[in-house]
Amino acid sequence: MLSSPISVDALTDAVEEIFVAGGFSTGQAGPMARVLVAGERDGCKSHGIYRIAGCLRTVKAGKANVTAVPELQDADGAIVRVDAKGGFANPAFELGVPVLAERAKALGFAAMAINDCVHVAALWPEVEALTDLGLAAISMCPSYSTVAPTGGREPLFGTNPFAFGWPRPGGNPYAFDFATSVAARGEVELHHRAGTSLPEGWAIDADGNPTTTPAEALEGALLPFGGHKGSAISTMIELLGGAMIGDLMSTEAAEVLGSNRLLPRHGELVLAFDPVRFSAGRGTDPFAKAEILFDAIVGQGARLPSQRRYAARAESLKNGIVLDADELAELARLAAEGLGAVD
Ligand code: NDP
């Protein structure tokens, strides 16, 4: 029986056991447990343990291969390709990232295309995995159509997350990670569950009218962040993380899935840069220059992205992760009932 607060390791073991009980191989269950518990640890509830049920629902619907063994296909040049074989993205990422890092250090830059994966998670764990190795990183993927282009009326883009990380010697990296919709769809789902209204400007209903009602937003479309600018960045993600790597774009992923309640299958693009190689011969230290910029940002009273997350992480590592009674009961239910716990 779990009790709160719970250590990161104990919660990771518990979540892994739930996935194994749901039929996942340990190769799929371990990375999924690690990434969802990292979300919980860092105070990112929309990508924490709340996502377990969605993973199980997707498996039950036959839309994820939970015994898939990802395969590294290209590893000689600047493009590293991993075929996830219909399994989750995170086992494929964990397989490919050492090779991606080695290639980026050898060449100065490398890219990893993950194909045919089911995606659920936040992207910051991925860019952090690369900043931990001294590399700057960008990660992006399409999703399934839930976002209307600025000026349009119907879902076309996914919520298409985009993350960037920059290593900071001796400290947490500079990292940001966001949906290119005004908000992640998971945030709308949390408002729906809590019975609270959405802020204005997040969504339109099925007729294209602005709405603050979560159920109407889930039936209609989300809006891109930043108007035409977010719309263009989301288009770029469709092109680079979908068309360019030979994988599904968000409209195609939606057609394959045939539902808004399951997790989408598509591809993902991860880019890794070696700042030392890019600045070679210039007589400057990229990391020192970066620190001057970060100091200037903070010096104006602004905060760096991920600061809230790092504070939550420090608290969780010190005192354990706090779960409420409903969350503990849900974990117990999922552990006891496995795939039977979801519709
Ligand atoms: P948020 O808007 O919550 O946060 C975006 C980023 O901005 C974070 O790095 C956050 O840091 C930072 N930030 C927030 N407020 C400030 C501030 N005042 N000053 C400086 N920085 C700030 O993210 P979203 O809701 O858009 O996305 C949430 C998650 O959903 C992401 O992790 C994303 O990867 C994931 N997602 C995944 C999808 C998928 O298909 N797999 C689809 C869409 C989203 P901090 O965390 O410290 O607040």
Side-chain angles (χ1 to χ4, degrees):
M1 188 68 167
L2 297 176
S3 61
S4 178
I6 180 170
S7 73
V8 171
D9 286 349
L11 184 57
T12 305
D13 288 346
V15 174
E16 187 168 349
E17 279 171 28
I18 290 172
F19 283 135
V20 169
F24 287 51
S25 64
T26 52
Q28 292 283 321
M32 290 308 294
R34 283 191 280 283
V35 77
L36 296 186
V37 172
E40 203 65 41
R41 177 201 67 197
D42 280 18
C44 299
K45 281 279 179 197
S46 65
H47 287 78
I49 57 170
Y50 147 78
R51 290 273 165 179
I52 298 171
C55 293
L56 296 179
R57 198 177 296 120
T58 305
V59 173
K60 193 167 180 175
K63 301 287 188 183
N65 178 0
V66 286
T67 56
V69 178
E71 185 187 346
L72 193 61
Q73 292 186 327
D74 283 315
D76 293 339
I79 301 172
V80 177
R81 187 180 295 278
V82 183
D83 183 349
K85 305 212 167 179
F88 284 91
N90 304 85
F93 178 84
E94 288 192 8
L95 175 71
V97 77
V99 184
L100 173 65
E102 182 272 316
R103 294 281 80 204
K105 289 200 170 173
L107 301 171
F109 168 81
M112 175 161 69
I114 299 176
N115 286 118
D116 201 14
C117 62
V118 177
H119 213 289
V120 57
L123 296 184
W124 54 260
E126 301 187 351
V127 294
E128 281 196 29
L130 288 157
T131 58
D132 284 351
L133 300 171
L135 299 165
I138 290 174
S139 176
M140 68 185 84
C141 65
S143 181
Y144 56 86
S145 299
T146 52
V147 180
T150 296
R153 306 168 62 91
E154 289 172 13
L156 182 65
F157 308 134
T159 50
N160 296 6
F162 186 82
F164 170 75
W166 177 271
R168 300 185 69 187
N172 286 317
Y174 174 90
F176 66 75
D177 174 21
F178 48 70
T180 47
S181 49
V182 177
R185 191 176 156 86
E187 295 289 344
V188 178
E189 285 167 0
L190 288 178
H191 276 282
H192 187 44
R193 283 160 62 131
T196 50
S197 296
L198 304 177
E200 288 188 10
W202 277 26
I204 52 178
D205 66 18
D207 299 320
N209 302 310
T211 183
T212 57
T213 305
E216 289 180 0
L218 293 170
E219 289 298 316
L222 296 166
L223 292 169
F225 83 98
H228 63 283
K229 300 179 186 181
S231 204
I233 291 174
S234 200
T235 306
M236 176 192 78
I237 294 168
E238 297 283 343
L239 297 174
L240 295 181
M244 186 180 82
I245 65 167
D247 219 307
L248 299 180
M249 296 162 91
S250 293
T251 45
E252 298 168 311
E255 279 165 24
V256 168
L257 205 58
S259 165
N260 270 349
R261 297 187 69 236
L262 304 174
L263 301 172
R265 187 149 154 178
H266 45 70
E268 179 176 3
L269 181 68
V270 185
L271 309 177
F273 309 80
D274 185 350
V276 173
R277 293 288 301 274
F278 272 88
S279 59
R282 297 291 303 162
T284 60
D285 177 348
F287 301 111
K289 284 171 83 87
E291 291 307 312
I292 292 168
L293 176 65
F294 300 145
D295 286 347
I297 294 170
V298 175
Q300 293 191 16
R303 81 157 165 97
L304 297 179
S306 298
Q307 263 180 349
R308 176 205 61 81
R309 209 161 49 70
Y310 297 143
R313 179 184 304 180
E315 175 64 22
S316 296
L317 291 174
K318 187 170 171 215
N319 296 319
I321 297 171
V322 176
L323 299 177
D324 65 26
D326 288 347
E327 290 170 325
L328 290 171
E330 175 68 352
L331 287 176
R333 190 179 75 87
L334 294 172
E337 299 177 21
L339 292 185
V342 292
D343 52 18

